């Protein structure tokens, strides 16, 4: 039995309704590709064209809409080939030297007439020098430009499923004029900023006029509204009602009359006068008036600008005390109003002019802090009426970095001692101290400051110059110290034979008896005193290799009784055991020294994000491979937004652990991290940037978890989406259950469930089961939504109950050919069995279609016929329980014509008709009849009666001498019968004798004395130009007309032409001169009287102007 075909579902949003999806690809690009920065990568797609009528078209897209065909060049290369044997097109896209910006989601789309196919794939870019690391966001890049967004395509974070967006609530339109009229003056500035008002002062002036009470008007029934508000580019209609529907009105804008045009449309409809302004702009923001004579009504039109959006977001800053800070943003429109705020306090020019400066340059807006202080640290905000951005300012104490420390010196008498240090600020001054006493310059002692270098030079060193020297920078709690050792030359009278002896100085750089520590990059000068007679031979060696060079970076300098070992710019390779051996004929002496090179450590390794939260992230790293020869004291961390170049310090004190939780981050924004290692020597180079990560929080728990249905082995659950979803979106749900008393939860679904309802199957009968639902997104699982009490798995028996719709409780009537589709809902547990009966017998499946579900039964008749009429009964059974519902269906059609229509009587101008009801009433009661008549001469039919309920009628007002025929239609709920029934006989209206009596004619007296109905009007004319004066007169008999000038009758003068046309009198004066000026009079005379009118005619001479 064929089932009713349901209506086709409408296509989903975004789908092409005229192009069907089909599998055209025989080979698609790989879904996930990891490319190394700087390398080339090629993607291949193949299309089978054997079934296509024309050549297919291929598009390569990035993101949703970016067509890469327009970007073809050195970086992006496209290739197309065709194999005639296999009829396969091969398309290739090659990316030359992949960069980080190439990462993201791509799509290749092929179309051919009415067929199309597409394939999506992802590209992840990894640095060439960094091993691939598991990162939750490595495959997602954004196509939008912008500092805070980076280039992450956040749409790739979610599953590629199409989800319907929740309809946004439309906010009601707000009338700004009403807000200003009802607001306190202190709130005017706030309202102006919120709704984009640029001319607040002008609006307040106009508002003051609007508040003035208008006087009652006699010309207007309804005045214009006090104000109108419209968005820029939209249409606005102003209307008022006038008292006189024929009066003409004028429309004024700021006092100037408005002329009709395509922009300004003026209409008059009865008493209503309308002014329509199309495509309004800021110039239409004005005062408007409608003027009727001396009366007028006015209104104000306010044109609102579109919201101002922020196109370039604010950067974070990290500065030291005293530095200049510039927060810069860009907005969508020039001249926009931007509000700046620090934390929760607004920054204004009047109050904060001493600390802050504001700068506008087109669309760029800048907040400048001349000299930052510690109190300026915090979050800064920029607001427009359509956007918001924020940036964090971190200010730290100004620190002075020591680039080169003072080295200890050992000098002999009369030699020169030079102490030198280098600091990071070339403007810093300082003082030198010896044993706590300030050193003053003299002829022998000189101090200098050149750039970042500070020197103390002591000439002709004396024994009293030995001691501790200290350099103290001004304004900093810092001091640099070194020791000056005086090498005293002692002359001992010894025998000529003296074995060699090495005298090592254990002070200075010696940290133990035989160990010397040198900072990498510094200079080591080791002066070793040698004694012995005769003068011994000195040999320096590193390991087994002798150091014999006297020039270069590593060298040996020999003096009398002194051997100097020098290393310029110490390197790590210089570390090791050094041996000095002195020999003479008397003997030999040897000493071993260990030179240790210490340096800043290597950068930390493998910086990565292991977890994220709503505004935080957990960062871990590995210690550096080389600690620089000194223990690692800790680490310093920095972060920045993806795409930005500004790094923000996260800690000012050394952090000892290798796991750090970064806080105060913005959810949904990409960040990068880097780490510095710190030892006693200094700060390492920064580590490689971590892979971009994004703070994302799990959703809140699902809401309103309820049990919808329970059977012996299943439980149906329903719930609503979480109230808070966040930037991570929502991937799906996990449904879990456990028996009462157990703690182990079992997942009911293996894959994430996207709908908000689920049927848990395979449950044990009679057990009490706890259920919970967890929302999942890229950040993890949400808190669970749990039922308040366990559910007993047992099906509840429910009596069958038919819920018959209200419209089916009475007789159900349909016309022949109509479709009958009855849906009868019911309830009952377990699922009931539904059966249909017609007139007590099972329905014929060939005539009626029946479809039953667990909750309803559908009776469907594709095309109703009269035999479908009858009493239908739905029987619902569950075991020995049942419920019944009866539906009476009647299928009707138009009735047949009446029977035996005849004229039964004719008298005067009337005829009586009678007939009998039709044999076929169309399965519906006959509700009336329509009677028509026709003159046998014209054969034109006219309706006499409609909806006549009786089977007889009387037709009146027939015309004498004519013969009439009649016809009758029967009528029911479907309408009139298809054919009428003609009367068997006709009605003839006989003629009778008539006598015409004419009334006596009474002539009306039309006589009346002359009377002027239109007077003469004074005229002023130019000499030489013909003119005419006119008036009109009434009178009978026809009056005689006399024209006079200055009471003198005008005769047959050819200069004057007198005309009389149906009482309209005209005097034409041909080319009048000044002599023709004067008083003109027109007199009308007849037997009943006379009348006259007069006017004054002025003739002026035209003044000719000379050409200058």
């Amino acid at each position: 039995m064929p089932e009713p075909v349901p209506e086709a579902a409408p296509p989903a949003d975004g789908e092409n309704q005229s192009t069907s999806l089909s599998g055209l690809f025989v080979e698609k690009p790989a879904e996930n590709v990891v490319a190394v920065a700087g390398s080339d990568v090629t993607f291949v797609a193949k299309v089978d064209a054997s079934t296509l009528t024309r050549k297919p078209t291929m598009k390569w897209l990035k993101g949703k809409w970016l067509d890469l065909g327009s970007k073809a060049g050195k970086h992006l290369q496209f290739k197309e080939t065709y194999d005639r044997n296999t009829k396969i097109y091969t398309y290739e896209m090659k990316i030359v030297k992949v960069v980080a910006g190439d990462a993201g989601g791509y799509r290749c789309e092929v179309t051919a007439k009415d067929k199309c196919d597409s394939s999506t794939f992802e590209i992840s870019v990894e640095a060439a020098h960094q091993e691939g690391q598991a990162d939750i966001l490595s495959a997602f890049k954004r196509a939008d430009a912008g500092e805070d967004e980076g280039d992450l395509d956040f749409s790739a974070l979610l599953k590629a499923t199409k989800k319907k967006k929740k309809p946004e609530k439309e906010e009601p339109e707000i009338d700004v004029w009403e807000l200003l009229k009802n607001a306190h003056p202190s709130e005017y500035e706030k309202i102006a900023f919120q709704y984009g008002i640029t001319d607040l002062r002008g609006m307040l002036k106009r508002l003051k006029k609007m508040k003035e009470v208008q006087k009652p008007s006699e010309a207007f029934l309804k005045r214009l509204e006090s104000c109108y508000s419209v968005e820029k580019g939209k249409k606005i209609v102003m209307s008022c009602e006038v008292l006189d529907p024929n009066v003409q009105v004028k429309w004024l804008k700021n006092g100037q009359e408005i002329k009709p045009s395509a922009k300004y449309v003026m209409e008059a409809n009865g008493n209503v006068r309308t002014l329509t302004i199309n495509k309004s702009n800021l110039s239409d923001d004005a005062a408007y008036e409608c003027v009727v004579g001396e009366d007028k009504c006015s209104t104000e039109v306010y044109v609102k600008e579109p919201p101002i959006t922020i196109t370039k977001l604010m950067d974070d800053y990290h500065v030291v005390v005293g530095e200049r800070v510039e927060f810069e943003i860009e907005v969508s429109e020039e001249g926009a109003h931007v509000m700046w705020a620090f934390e929760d306090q607004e920054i204004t020019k009047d109050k904060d002019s001493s600390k802050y400066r504001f700068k506008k340059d087109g669309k760029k807006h800048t907040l400048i802090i001349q000299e930052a202080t510690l109190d300026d640290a915090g979050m800064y905000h920029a607001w427009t009426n359509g956007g918001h951005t924020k940036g964090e300012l971190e200010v730290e104490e100004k620190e002075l970095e020591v680039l080169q420390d003072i080295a200890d010196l050992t000098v002999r008498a009369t030699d020169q001692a030079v102490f030198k240090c280098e600091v990071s600020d070339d403007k810093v001054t300082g003082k030198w101290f010896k044993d706590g006493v300030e050193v003053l310059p003299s002829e022998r002692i000189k101090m200098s400051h050149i750039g970042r270098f500070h020197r103390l030079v002591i000439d002709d060193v004396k024994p009293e110059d030995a001691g501790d020297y200290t350099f103290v920078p001004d304004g900093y709690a810092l001091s640099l110290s070194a020791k000056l050792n005086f090498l005293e030359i002692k002359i001992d009278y010894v025998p000529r034979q003296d074995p060699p002896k090495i005298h090592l100085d254990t002070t200075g750089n010696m940290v133990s008896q035989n160990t010397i520590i040198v900072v990498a990059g510094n200079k080591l000068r080791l002066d070793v005193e040698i004694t012995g007679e005769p003068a011994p031979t000195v040999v320096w060696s590193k390991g087994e290799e002798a150091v014999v060079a006297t020039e270069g970076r590593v060298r040996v300098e020999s003096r009398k009784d002194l051997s100097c070992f020098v290393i310029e710019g110490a390197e790590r390779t210089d570390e090791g055991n050094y041996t000095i051996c002195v020999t003479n004929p008397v003997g030999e002496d040897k000493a071993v020294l260990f030179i240790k090179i210490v340096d800043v450590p290597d950068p930390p390794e493998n910086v990565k994000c292991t977890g994220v939260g709503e505004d935080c992230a957990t960062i871990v790293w590995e210690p550096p491979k080389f600690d620089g020869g000194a223990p690692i004291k800790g680490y310093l961390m920095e972060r920045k937004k993806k795409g930005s170049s500004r790094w923000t310090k996260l800690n000012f004190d050394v952090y000892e652990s290798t796991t750090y939780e970064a806080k105060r981050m913005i959810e949904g924004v990409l960040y990068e991290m880097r780490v510095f290692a710190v030892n006693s020597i200094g700060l390492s180079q920064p580590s490689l940037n971590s892979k971009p990560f994004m703070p994302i929080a799990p959703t809140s728990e699902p809401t309103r978890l309820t049990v919808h249905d329970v059977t012996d082995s299943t439980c149906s659950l329903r719930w609503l989406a979480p109230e808070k979803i966040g930037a991570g979106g929502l991937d799906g749900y996990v449904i879990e259950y456990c028996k009462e008393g157990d703690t182990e939860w079992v997942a009911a679904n293996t894959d994430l469930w996207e709908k908000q309802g689920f049927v848990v199957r395979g449950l044990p009968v009679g057990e009490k089961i706890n259920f919970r639902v967890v929302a999942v997104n890229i950040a993890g699982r949400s808190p669970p939504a749990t039922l308040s009490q366990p559910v007993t798995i047992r099906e509840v028996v429910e009596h069958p109950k038919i819920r018959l719709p209200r419209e089916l409780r009475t007789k159900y009537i349909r016309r022949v050919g109509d479709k009958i589709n009855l849906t009868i809902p019911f309830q009952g547990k377990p699922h009931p069995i539904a059966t249909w009966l017609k007139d007590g017998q099972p329905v014929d499946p060939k005539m009626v279609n029946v479809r039953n579900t667990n909750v309803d039964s559908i009776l469907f008749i594709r095309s109703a016929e009269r035999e479908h009429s009858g009493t239908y009964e739905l029987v619902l059974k569950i075991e020995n329980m049942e419920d019944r519902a009866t539906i009476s269906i009647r299928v009707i059609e138009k009735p047949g014509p009446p029977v035996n229509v005849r004229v039964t009587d004719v008298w005067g101008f009337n005829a009586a008709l009678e007939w009998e009801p039709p044999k076929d009433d169309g399965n519906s009661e006959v509700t009336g009849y329509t009677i028509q008549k026709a003159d046998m001469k014209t054969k034109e039919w006219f309706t006499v009666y409609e909806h006549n309920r009786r089977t007889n009628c009387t037709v009146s007002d027939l015309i004498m001498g004519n013969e009439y025929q009649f016809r009758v239609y029967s009528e029911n709920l479907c309408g009139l019968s298809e054919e009428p029934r003609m009367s068997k006989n006709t009605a003839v209206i006989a003629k009778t004798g008539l006598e015409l009596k004419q009334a006596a004619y009474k002539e009306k007296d039309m006589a009346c004395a002359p009377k002027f109905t239109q007077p003469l009007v004074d005229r002023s004319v130019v000499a030489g130009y013909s003119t005419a004066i006119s008036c009109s007169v009434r009178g009978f008999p026809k009056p005689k007309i006399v024209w006079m000038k200055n009471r003198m009758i005008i005769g047959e003068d050819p200069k004057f032409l007198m005309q009389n046309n149906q009482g309209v009198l005209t005097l034409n004066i041909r080319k009048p001169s000044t002599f023709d000026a004067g008083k003109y009079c027109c007199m009308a005379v007849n037997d009943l009287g006379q009348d006259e009118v007069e006017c004054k005619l002025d003739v002026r001479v035209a003044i000719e102007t000379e050409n200058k």
Side-chain angles (χ1 to χ4, degrees):
M1 179 181 64
E3 294 185 355
V5 181
E7 295 182 1
D13 293 340
E15 293 183 1
N16 191 343
Q17 301 184 20
S18 62
T19 303
S20 61
L21 294 176
S22 60
L24 298 179
F25 285 109
V26 295
E27 181 178 340
K28 298 181 180 181
E31 292 184 357
N32 293 293
V33 177
V34 179
V36 179
S39 63
D40 298 345
V41 61
T42 302
F43 298 89
V44 179
K46 294 184 179 180
V47 177
D48 185 7
S50 59
T51 60
L52 303 180
T53 58
R54 62 176 63 180
K55 178 182 176 182
T57 301
M58 171 65 77
K59 285 186 179 181
W60 297 87
L61 307 172
K62 182 177 182 182
K64 290 185 177 180
W65 314 113
L66 180 58
D67 189 352
L68 298 179
S70 60
K71 307 293 183 181
K74 293 182 178 180
H75 185 59
L76 282 174
Q77 299 177 2
F78 301 90
K79 184 179 178 182
E80 175 184 340
T81 58
Y82 177 67
D83 189 346
R84 296 182 179 273
N85 296 325
T86 60
K87 294 185 179 180
I88 290 179
Y89 284 88
T90 302
Y91 300 90
E92 295 181 7
M93 180 181 73
K94 183 178 182 181
I95 305 178
V96 181
K97 294 183 180 180
V98 175
V99 296
D102 294 327
Y106 290 76
R107 185 171 86 255
C108 59
E109 182 177 287
V110 60
T111 57
K113 199 175 180 181
D114 59 345
K115 297 183 179 180
C116 72
D117 199 0
S118 64
S119 174
T120 59
F121 54 97
E122 296 283 333
I123 301 178
S124 303
V125 180
E126 291 188 352
H129 56 273
Q130 186 172 0
E131 296 180 2
Q133 302 173 4
D135 183 74
I136 58 176
L137 302 177
S138 61
F140 304 101
K141 300 292 178 182
R142 179 172 303 200
D144 301 335
E147 178 181 322
D148 279 347
E149 293 88 359
D151 50 354
L152 177 79
D153 188 0
F154 186 72
S155 62
L157 292 173
L158 305 176
K159 280 191 171 181
T161 56
K162 297 178 181 177
K163 299 181 180 179
K164 295 183 180 179
K165 297 182 179 179
K166 294 183 178 179
E168 299 181 354
K169 293 183 178 179
E170 296 185 357
E171 297 183 356
E173 294 187 359
I174 297 176
D175 193 339
V176 180
W177 288 105
E178 292 297 329
L179 282 179
L180 288 174
K181 283 198 291 186
N182 300 325
H184 191 270
S186 61
E187 298 180 353
Y188 286 163
E189 289 287 345
K190 179 180 178 182
I191 296 174
F193 173 75
Q194 183 177 359
Y195 295 97
I197 300 173
T198 55
D199 184 16
L200 178 60
R201 183 175 298 178
M203 286 193 63
L204 293 179
K205 289 181 180 179
R206 290 152 61 184
L207 185 64
K208 184 178 180 181
K209 293 181 180 179
M210 290 166 51
K211 290 184 177 181
E212 295 177 358
V213 179
Q214 296 183 346
K215 297 179 180 179
S217 171
E218 297 180 356
F220 291 94
L221 294 175
K222 180 181 178 183
R223 289 178 169 270
L224 294 170
E225 298 291 338
S226 59
C227 61
Y228 294 86
S229 178
V230 64
E231 292 185 2
K232 182 179 177 182
K234 298 295 183 64
K235 179 176 74 172
I236 184 169
V237 179
M238 296 176 283
S239 63
C240 62
E241 293 185 15
V242 295
L243 184 61
D244 185 0
N246 299 320
V247 73
Q248 298 294 325
V249 301
K250 292 183 179 179
W251 291 93
L252 307 181
K253 172 184 174 182
N254 289 337
Q256 300 294 325
E257 184 175 355
I258 302 174
K259 300 297 182 182
S261 63
K263 181 177 180 65
Y264 299 101
V265 179
M266 303 171 190
E267 297 177 326
N269 185 9
N271 296 80
V272 179
R273 299 295 183 267
T274 305
L275 172 63
T276 303
I277 304 176
N278 295 312
K279 296 182 180 179
S280 59
N281 51 41
L282 295 182
S283 64
D284 297 321
D285 190 292
Y288 291 82
E289 294 177 333
C290 180
V291 181
V292 179
E294 298 297 328
D295 203 351
K296 62 183 178 180
C297 61
S298 60
T299 186
E300 294 283 343
V301 172
Y302 166 59
V303 180
K304 295 187 290 185
E305 293 189 83
I308 304 298
T309 58
I310 299 176
T311 57
K312 180 182 178 184
L313 303 179
M314 197 186 302
D315 284 330
D316 295 334
Y317 276 86
H318 179 85
V319 298
V320 298
V321 174
E323 285 190 353
R324 175 187 173 101
V325 181
E326 293 187 2
F327 287 108
E328 181 181 285
I329 65 172
E330 287 188 13
V331 297
S332 57
E333 298 286 344
E334 293 187 3
H337 178 52
V338 176
M339 184 179 74
W340 297 88
F342 171 57
E343 297 296 350
D344 295 330
Q345 299 294 326
E346 181 181 357
I347 302 174
T348 59
K349 294 182 180 179
D350 301 334
K351 183 174 65 174
D352 306 300
S353 59
S354 59
K355 178 181 288 188
Y356 303 101
R357 284 183 52 214
F358 302 90
K359 180 180 177 183
K360 291 184 180 179
D361 184 10
K363 297 181 180 179
K364 292 183 179 180
H365 293 251
T366 309
L367 173 67
I368 301 173
I369 304 175
Q370 295 290 356
E371 295 183 357
T373 63
L374 293 177
D375 295 335
D376 295 328
M379 194 67 72
Y380 287 80
H381 302 262
W383 300 82
T384 66
N385 59 353
H388 166 243
T389 182
K390 60 183 178 180
E392 186 176 6
L393 174 62
E394 295 182 354
V395 184
E396 63 175 272
E397 287 284 2
K398 193 172 184 181
E399 295 182 359
L400 187 66
E401 185 178 354
V402 178
L403 303 179
Q404 181 179 345
D405 205 346
I406 303 174
D408 294 339
L409 297 178
T410 302
V411 296
R412 296 183 299 179
T414 70
D415 284 352
Q416 184 187 65
V418 178
F419 290 102
K420 182 178 71 171
C421 66
E422 182 183 2
V423 295
S424 58
D425 192 347
D426 57 357
K427 297 180 181 180
V428 171
T429 60
K431 297 178 181 179
W432 292 89
F433 295 86
K434 177 193 174 189
D435 298 328
V437 180
E438 185 178 355
V439 178
L440 301 176
S442 64
E443 294 181 358
R444 198 168 56 85
I445 301 174
K446 298 180 177 59
M447 291 171 284
S448 65
H449 172 206
I450 302 175
R452 298 195 299 264
F453 293 93
H454 297 262
R455 289 183 177 85
L456 173 64
V457 181
I458 305 175
D459 295 327
D460 191 14
V461 174
K462 297 179 180 180
E464 58 268 21
D465 293 328
D468 291 329
Y469 286 82
T470 304
F471 174 72
V472 179
D474 294 337
Y476 295 92
L478 176 68
S479 63
L480 308 176
S481 299
K483 189 173 185 180
L484 175 62
N485 299 312
F486 181 76
L487 182 60
E488 184 176 0
I489 301 175
K490 297 181 180 180
I491 303 176
D492 297 330
Y493 294 95
V494 294
R496 300 289 297 177
Q497 295 291 330
D498 188 9
K501 182 66 175 175
I502 299 173
H503 302 277
L504 288 176
D505 183 4
T506 60
T507 61
N509 289 331
M510 291 275 190
V511 297
S512 63
Q513 187 67 27
N514 294 323
T515 302
I516 301 174
I517 295 179
V518 182
V519 178
N522 286 1
K523 178 180 179 181
L524 170 65
R525 183 182 183 89
L526 184 61
D527 296 332
V528 180
E529 184 180 357
I530 306 297
T531 59
E533 287 293 339
T537 302
V538 181
V539 178
W540 289 85
S541 61
K542 179 184 180 183
E544 299 297 331
E545 181 181 355
V547 180
V548 296
T550 57
E551 293 182 355
R553 190 178 66 83
V554 181
R555 64 183 183 273
V556 177
E557 298 177 357
S558 298
R559 299 180 186 177
K560 184 180 179 180
D561 300 331
L562 195 67
S563 180
C564 300
F565 182 71
V566 181
I567 300 178
E568 296 277 1
E571 299 176 354
R572 293 182 184 178
T573 56
D574 296 329
E575 184 175 314
N577 289 312
Y578 289 81
T579 304
I580 178 173
C581 181
V582 293
T583 59
N584 69 359
V586 182
E588 180 183 80
D589 194 7
K590 184 182 292 187
V592 178
L593 302 174
F594 179 69
I595 298 179
K596 183 177 183 180
I597 307 298
V598 294
D599 195 359
V600 295
D602 287 346
E605 298 181 343
N606 295 334
V607 181
K608 58 185 178 181
C609 173
T610 59
V612 293
E614 183 176 3
D615 60 349
C616 61
T618 302
I619 309 299
V620 298
W621 61 88
E622 297 177 4
K625 292 182 178 179
F626 176 66
D627 61 2
I632 299 294
K633 291 185 176 181
Y635 304 91
L636 296 177
M637 285 69 70
E638 291 183 348
R639 77 165 183 235
K640 75 177 181 71
K641 298 173 183 176
K642 176 68 175 176
S644 175
S645 59
R646 300 185 182 275
W647 289 93
T648 303
K649 285 187 178 180
L650 299 182
N651 62 314
F652 298 101
D653 298 328
V654 175
Y655 186 77
E656 297 180 356
S657 176
T658 57
T659 301
Y660 181 79
E661 184 177 2
K663 298 182 178 180
R664 300 187 67 183
M665 308 175 82
I666 302 174
E667 184 180 7
V669 175
L670 274 178
Y671 289 91
E672 293 178 348
M673 291 281 295
R674 67 181 183 184
V675 184
F676 298 81
V678 182
N679 63 4
S680 58
I681 306 304
L683 198 66
S684 72
Q685 290 294 317
S687 67
L688 295 176
N689 296 352
S690 69
K691 288 189 176 181
F693 62 91
M694 179 184 295
I696 297 176
T699 68
S700 60
E701 68 276 4
T703 59
R704 299 182 64 180
L705 175 61
T706 57
V707 176
H708 179 65
D709 191 14
V710 180
T711 67
D712 288 341
S713 62
T714 65
C715 180
S716 177
L717 303 176
R718 290 186 180 178
W719 62 89
L720 296 181
E723 292 182 354
K724 181 179 179 183
I725 294 180
L730 178 62
D731 291 345
Y733 301 93
V734 174
I735 299 89
E736 298 176 335
Y737 65 92
C738 74
K739 294 183 180 179
E740 186 180 19
D742 290 351
T743 58
E744 182 179 355
W745 290 89
V746 180
N749 55 319
T750 56
D751 298 328
L752 291 180
W753 188 256
E754 298 179 0
K755 299 179 181 179
Q756 295 176 1
F758 188 79
V759 179
V760 183
R761 304 182 185 278
L763 300 175
V765 180
E767 290 287 349
K768 291 187 176 181
I769 305 294
N770 289 312
F771 294 93
R772 70 181 185 184
V773 179
V774 178
V776 180
N777 67 359
I778 192 171
R781 292 163 58 99
S782 71
T786 309
L787 290 175
S788 59
Q789 58 187 7
V791 179
T792 302
I793 306 304
R794 180 178 292 110
E795 185 167 20
V796 179
V797 176
E798 183 180 352
H799 286 272
K801 177 66 176 179
I802 300 175
R803 298 190 175 275
L804 192 64
R806 184 182 300 274
E807 64 272 12
L808 299 180
R809 296 177 185 176
T810 58
K811 187 171 292 185
Y812 187 76
I813 299 176
R814 281 293 179 269
R815 298 186 181 185
V816 172
D818 286 356
K819 180 175 66 175
I820 298 177
N821 193 349
L822 306 180
T823 302
I824 314 299
F826 54 76
Q827 62 187 31
K829 287 188 179 180
H831 298 313
I833 299 174
T835 306
W836 284 90
L837 303 176
K838 178 187 178 185
D839 299 330
Q841 300 297 324
V843 296
D844 185 359
K846 295 181 180 179
M847 298 179 60
V848 179
N849 297 324
V850 176
R851 187 178 65 183
N852 296 323
T853 66
N854 294 333
V855 294
D856 59 25
S857 180
I858 299 176
L859 177 72
F860 181 77
I861 301 174
R862 190 177 302 276
S863 179
E865 299 294 340
R866 290 178 61 172
E867 55 266 24
H868 290 131
S869 302
T871 301
Y872 290 80
E873 186 176 19
L874 174 61
V875 181
L876 200 65
K877 288 186 177 182
I878 299 178
E879 297 177 355
N880 59 348
M881 299 176 291
E882 71 174 27
D883 190 18
R884 293 173 177 264
T886 302
I887 303 172
S888 179
I889 299 178
R890 178 186 290 182
V891 181
I892 63 176
E893 62 181 347
K894 293 181 179 180
V899 178
N900 194 17
V901 179
R902 58 194 181 278
V903 178
T904 58
D905 193 10
V906 177
W907 71 98
F909 304 100
N910 308 306
L913 299 179
E914 290 184 3
W915 59 89
E916 297 175 3
K919 296 180 180 179
D920 181 11
D921 61 359
N923 205 23
S924 176
E925 180 184 358
V926 175
T927 58
Y929 301 91
T930 297
I931 300 94
Q932 294 182 345
K933 68 178 180 180
D935 187 353
M936 298 298 290
K937 298 178 181 178
T938 61
K939 296 293 185 179
E940 292 184 5
W941 292 96
F942 298 92
T943 300
V944 179
Y945 293 104
E946 289 182 332
H947 314 301
N948 185 63
R949 304 186 68 88
R950 299 179 180 177
T951 57
N952 54 74
C953 71
T954 301
V955 180
S956 304
D957 298 330
L958 300 178
I959 298 175
M960 184 181 296
N962 289 350
E963 182 180 1
Y964 290 91
Q965 189 175 17
F966 303 91
R967 64 183 183 184
V968 181
Y969 291 86
S970 53
E971 181 181 5
N972 65 2
L973 291 178
C974 287
L976 297 177
S977 58
E978 295 289 345
E979 297 178 356
R981 182 71 67 185
M982 306 295 293
S983 60
K984 294 182 177 181
N985 52 348
T986 60
V988 178
I989 309 302
K991 292 184 178 180
T992 57
L994 297 177
E995 181 180 354
L996 176 61
K997 295 182 179 180
Q998 293 184 350
Y1001 176 72
K1002 183 178 181 181
E1003 185 175 356
K1004 185 178 179 181
D1005 185 8
M1006 301 295 292
C1008 67
K1011 176 67 177 177
F1012 282 94
T1013 58
Q1014 184 67 32
L1016 293 173
V1017 180
D1018 294 343
R1019 297 290 302 273
S1020 177
V1021 298
V1022 178
Y1025 291 88
S1026 299
T1027 185
I1029 56 177
S1030 300
C1031 60
S1032 60
V1033 68
R1034 180 181 62 191
F1036 189 83
K1038 183 177 181 179
K1040 178 182 179 182
I1041 306 302
V1042 179
W1043 287 93
M1044 293 180 289
K1045 174 189 173 185
N1046 295 331
R1047 309 306 298 179
M1048 298 294 293
I1049 297 175
I1050 299 173
E1052 299 296 329
D1053 191 341
K1055 191 178 186 71
F1056 298 96
L1057 175 62
M1058 291 167 281
Q1059 294 177 332
N1060 184 347
N1061 184 13
Q1062 300 295 326
V1064 177
L1065 311 177
T1066 303
L1067 177 63
N1068 294 285
I1069 307 174
R1070 182 176 177 275
K1071 294 183 180 180
S1073 62
T1074 54
F1075 175 77
D1076 296 319
K1079 287 188 177 181
Y1080 286 80
C1081 177
C1082 180
M1083 179 185 295
V1085 181
N1086 69 2
D1087 296 339
L1088 300 178
Q1090 69 178 22
D1091 193 10
E1092 66 178 30
V1093 291
E1094 66 178 14
C1095 70
K1096 182 178 180 182
L1097 178 66
D1098 291 332
V1099 181
R1100 61 184 186 276
V1101 179
I1103 300 176
E1104 297 182 359
T1105 58
E1106 297 181 358
N1107 294 330
K1108 295 183 181 180

